[in-house]
Amino acid sequence: MPELHPQFLTDSDGKPMSVLLPFAEYEALIEYLEDMEDIADARQARDEPTIPWETVKAEMGL
């Protein structure tokens, strides 16, 4: 997880309304989340049946 340095914007009652991040931290956070999504997808696909490469090539006429 990237190290984040958020700044919170609040309303007049002090209730948090928005969060600001340096752009580089935002990009790192998005990349981290995408990586976590890829890992979750890979774990889910792990139990799916596989197709031999030779079968795929034959079906595609390669």
Side-chain angles (χ1 to χ4, degrees):
M1 177 86 173
E3 185 175 338
L4 303 177
H5 301 90
Q7 293 181 352
F8 299 93
L9 301 177
T10 59
D11 64 12
S12 59
D13 295 326
K15 180 181 173 186
M17 300 298 293
S18 299
V19 177
L20 294 174
L21 286 175
F23 191 73
E25 291 179 13
Y26 167 78
E27 286 183 317
L29 182 58
I30 294 300
E31 183 175 336
Y32 175 80
L33 292 173
E34 289 171 348
D35 289 347
M36 292 299 104
E37 192 173 69
D38 290 345
I39 290 169
D41 289 344
R43 286 181 178 153
Q44 186 176 11
R46 178 175 38 194
D47 297 328
E48 293 180 11
T50 59
I51 301 170
W53 175 238
E54 294 304 319
T55 303
V56 174
K57 288 191 326 186
E59 289 176 0
M60 298 181 84
L62 300 176

